[in-house]
């Protein structure tokens, strides 16, 4: 049994009530650990520690903060293999993906914000009436960071690193479905010598520990990534207290393929953008629209390639897809496949659970699934599935595909495949999303604004946007 502990005031401790709940390994359905079932009292202890640490931490020089964050980044790199194995075991994702993407990105997050704060500048405005205005930027105080299960350490550190780099102290909660690497991070923070109370990691469920963070009056800002319904609940709790909110929510992203695209590149990347991390990335293109003149050719080649993907043991480097994150999630995704059939869809490939042999027989595996023949406005094409399931449909005109692409309540990202620069520009500007990938997917630059519109969220992460979120601006006007 691997026992996870909270990290409060620099120490590893259990939940104050002594309660814990099971942590599952999705690859075999077995319980392999215990997670503290923290409640309001644990959050209060974390807030107390963070409040006490704030005056000193916010007064620590940028260089000292930067050096500490760089030390944490180095420790993540030094523990790369252990962290990748833990992430794969806890989440079900292929070890290959955890090794190449999740863990390197976690250290990159710390490194990026550790160095960004050394290059900050603020504005000054000269005023005609012989005065100068200068903008001061100060940390907020105690802030909350709440993250989901799909990219556990990657998204957890994407919030924590800028929050503490900017001089705040933090109460953070990882998803209760994938808490392991956040726990290992707390050990690395102790090793790095991060002062007690600067970062507090409290484990537990959304309704208990998560809700206590949104409700706490001393937590002045909340950065949340997760589902749209949870985001709505957090906003309803926090908005009357006028907390600053950054909400990164669900998506139902279109992948638009024009006939003049680089066919092979669009095909290869579409397989990846549909099924990477078992389709459990908020940016995955789950609705594929293909211009009619290449529809049959693309569809056949796509279904063939998808059919060749290997669903297997996450710990096996040859697996293309591992397990989905939990039993309830597997059932939800398979429920959507049934709904698609009821709505008139035809399964081109996949559409069923995969039963692996031996010790993995009770794992949560789903064959990568491609469905055609569905109306753009049916439930399957409107609701977020967040699993290895995509739909594919033809289109005739730019206008038609834009209408279908923009038809959902979400607006996180979109992908466009075309070699016509004018069209790329025109379509990108008409898409109602926060992010557009043209002839690529998930090509990340951490300086760019990241976030969605409509029910995909409010606010932007990344670069100066997130450092602005985690600070307050104050204008000082000096009459000369
Ligand atoms: P979720 O909303 O169920 O949980 C996310 C986090 O919120 C967890 O830590 C959970 O414990 C916590 N939580 C739950 N109820 C809470 C409450 N009442 N108060 C405070 N916290 C609470 O989401 P999930 O299932 O973990 O993640 C999947 C979702 O995340 C998908 O919708 C996906 O699109 C979205 N997501 C979005 C992005 C993005 O950048 N926009 C990135 C990754 C995932």
């Amino acid at each position: 049994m691997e026992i996870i502990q909270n990290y409060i005031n620099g120490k590893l401790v259990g939940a104050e009530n002594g309660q814990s709940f099971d942590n599952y390994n999705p690859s075999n359905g077995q319980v392999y650990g215990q997670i503290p079932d923290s409640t309001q009292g644990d959050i209060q202890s974390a807030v107390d520690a963070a409040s006490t640490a704030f005056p000193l931490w916010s007064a620590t020089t940028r260089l000292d903060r930067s050096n500490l964050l760089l030390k944490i980044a180095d420790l993540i790199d030094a523990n790369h293999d252990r962290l990748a194995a833990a992430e794969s075991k806890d989440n079900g994702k292929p070890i290959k993906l955890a090794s190449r993407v999740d863990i390197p990105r976690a250290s990159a997050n710390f490194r990026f914000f550790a160095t960004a704060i050394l290059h900050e500048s603020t504005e000054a405005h000269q005023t005609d009436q012989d005065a100068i205005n200068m903008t001061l930027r100060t940390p907020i105080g105690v802030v909350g960071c709440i993250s989901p299960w799909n990219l556990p350490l990657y998204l957890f550190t994407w919030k924590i690193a800028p929050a503490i780099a900017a001089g705040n102290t933090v109460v953070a909660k990882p998803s209760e479905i994938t808490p392991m690497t956040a726990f290992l991070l707390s050990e690395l923070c102790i090793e790095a010598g991060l002062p007690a109370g600067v970062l507090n990691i409290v484990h537990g469920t959304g309704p208990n520990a998560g809700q206590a963070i949104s409700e706490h009056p001393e937590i002045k800002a909340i950065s949340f990534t997760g589902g749209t319904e949870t985001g709505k609940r957090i906003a309803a709790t926090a908005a009357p207290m006028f907390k600053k909110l950054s909400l990164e929510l669900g998506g139902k992203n279109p992948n638009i393929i024009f006939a003049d695209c680089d066919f092979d590149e669009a095909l290869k990347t579409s397989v990846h953008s549909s099924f990477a991390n078992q389709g459990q990335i908020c940016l995955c293109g789950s609705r594929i629209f293909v211009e009619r003149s290449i529809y049959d050719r693309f569809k056949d080649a796509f279904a063939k390639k998808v059919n060749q993907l290997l669903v297997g043991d996450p710990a096996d480097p040859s697996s293309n897809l591992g397990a989905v994150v939990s039993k309830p999630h597997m059932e939800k995704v398979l429920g959507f496949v049934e709904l698609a059939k009821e709505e008139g869809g035809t399964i081109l490939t996949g559409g069923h659970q995969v039963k692996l042999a031996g010790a993995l027989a009770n794992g949560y595996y789903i064959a990568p699934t491609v469905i055609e023949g569905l109306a753009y406005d049916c439930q399957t094409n409107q609701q977020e599935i967040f699993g290895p399931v995509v739909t594919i449909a033809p289109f005739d005109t730019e206008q038609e595909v834009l209408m279908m692409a923009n038809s959902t309540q979400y607006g996180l990202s979109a992908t466009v495949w075309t070699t016509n620069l004018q069209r790329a520009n025109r379509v990108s500007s008409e898409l109602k999303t926060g992010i557009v990938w043209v002839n690529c997917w998930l090509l990340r630059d951490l300086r760019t604004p990241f976030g969605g519109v409509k029910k995909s969220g409010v606010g932007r992460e990344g670069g100066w946007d997130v450092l602005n979120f985690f600070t307050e601006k104050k204008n000082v006007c000096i009459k000369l």
Side-chain angles (χ1 to χ4, degrees), residues 146-150 155 173-176 205-206 210-211 214 224-227 230 233-234 248-251 282 384 386 412 450:
I146 303 175
S147 61
W149 50 256
N150 65 322
L155 288 177
K173 193 193 92 60
S175 169
E176 62 272 39
T205 66
Q211 185 67 23
S214 342
F224 168 78
T225 299
T230 314
R233 200 162 309 131
I234 291 173
E248 303 292 335
L249 311 177
C282 55
E384 184 184 42
F386 212 56
L412 185 54
F450 183 97

Side-chain angles (χ1 to χ4, degrees), residues 143-466:
V143 301
C145 298
I146 303 175
S147 61
W149 50 256
N150 65 322
L151 299 164
L153 193 63
Y154 174 131
L155 288 177
F156 196 56
T157 53
W158 182 231
K159 296 179 180 306
I160 287 167
I164 60 177
N168 301 286
T169 53
V170 174
V171 177
K173 193 193 92 60
S175 169
E176 62 272 39
I177 302 171
T178 53
M180 185 47 92
T181 48
F183 171 60
L184 298 177
L185 176 70
S186 47
E187 293 180 336
L188 299 182
C189 289
I190 294 171
E191 193 179 336
L194 190 70
V198 170
L199 172 62
N200 302 274
I201 301 176
V202 185
H203 295 271
T205 66
N208 288 338
Q211 185 67 23
I213 291 176
S214 342
E215 282 173 3
H216 203 291
E218 279 180 63
I219 296 180
K220 302 293 183 201
I222 296 180
S223 170
F224 168 78
T225 299
T228 294
E229 281 309 309
T230 314
K232 211 190 272 183
R233 200 162 309 131
I234 291 173
T237 308
M241 286 182 262
F242 305 108
K243 293 188 185 202
K244 261 183 130 176
L245 284 177
S246 170
L247 304 172
E248 303 292 335
L249 311 177
K252 186 74 178 174
N253 311 308
N255 176 9
I256 303 170
I257 298 164
F258 286 97
D260 63 5
C261 69
D262 176 335
F263 188 92
D264 292 339
E265 195 56 39
L267 180 65
K268 186 179 82 183
T269 306
S270 293
V271 173
H272 187 52
S273 66
S274 301
F275 299 111
N277 204 33
Q278 297 71 248
Q280 303 167 137
I281 299 180
C282 55
L283 303 163
C284 278
S286 53
R287 296 177 295 146
I288 305 176
F289 299 107
V290 187
E291 196 165 359
R292 196 175 299 277
S293 60
I294 60 161
Y295 180 71
D296 285 337
R297 181 174 159 229
F298 187 91
K299 175 186 81 173
D300 293 345
F302 182 69
K304 190 170 164 206
K305 264 189 176 297
V306 172
N307 197 34
Q308 288 163 354
L309 293 173
L310 192 66
V311 180
D313 184 354
D316 181 343
S318 65
S319 297
N320 298 115
L321 278 82
V324 298
V325 77
S326 68
K327 191 161 187 242
H329 192 59
M330 176 177 72
E331 285 162 359
K332 180 186 144 191
V333 173
L334 291 171
F336 269 109
V337 174
E338 289 312 306
L339 175 69
K341 288 185 202 159
E342 283 163 27
E343 291 185 315
T346 303
I347 310 286
L348 297 180
T349 184
H352 54 83
Q353 191 182 344
V354 174
K355 283 274 180 195
L356 297 184
L360 305 181
N362 293 321
Y364 318 133
Y365 301 91
I366 299 178
T369 301
V370 184
I371 307 171
E372 78 163 343
L374 288 168
Y376 75 91
D377 57 353
C378 71
Q379 286 308 301
T380 311
N381 269 329
Q382 294 291 314
Q383 291 188 30
E384 184 184 42
I385 300 174
F386 212 56
V389 177
V390 298
T391 65
I392 188 164
F395 69 88
D396 291 299
T397 64
E398 234 174 79
Q399 212 181 10
E400 181 196 15
V401 79
L402 278 167
M403 181 277 292
M404 296 194 289
N406 287 334
S407 69
T408 75
Q409 61 180 333
Y410 297 108
L412 185 54
S413 75
T415 310
V416 181
W417 292 94
T418 178
T419 49
N420 178 331
L421 189 58
Q422 269 82 23
R423 170 182 281 149
N425 213 3
R426 209 165 45 232
V427 171
S428 301
S429 62
E430 291 297 320
L431 282 162
K432 305 271 184 285
T433 61
I435 300 158
V436 182
W437 315 101
V438 178
N439 297 330
C440 61
W441 180 71
L442 234 174
L443 204 169
R444 291 287 286 122
D445 180 327
L446 303 189
R447 293 170 299 176
T448 61
F450 183 97
V453 300
K454 301 198 275 184
K455 289 190 179 171
S456 288
V458 180
R460 293 291 179 272
E461 295 188 324
W464 298 128
D465 283 280
V466 73

Side-chain angles (χ1 to χ4, degrees), residues 59-72:
T60 301
T61 65
R62 281 188 171 76
L63 190 60
D64 286 348
R65 274 187 261 146
S66 175
N67 283 336
L68 261 170
L69 265 71
L70 290 173
K71 212 164 172 185
I72 297 172

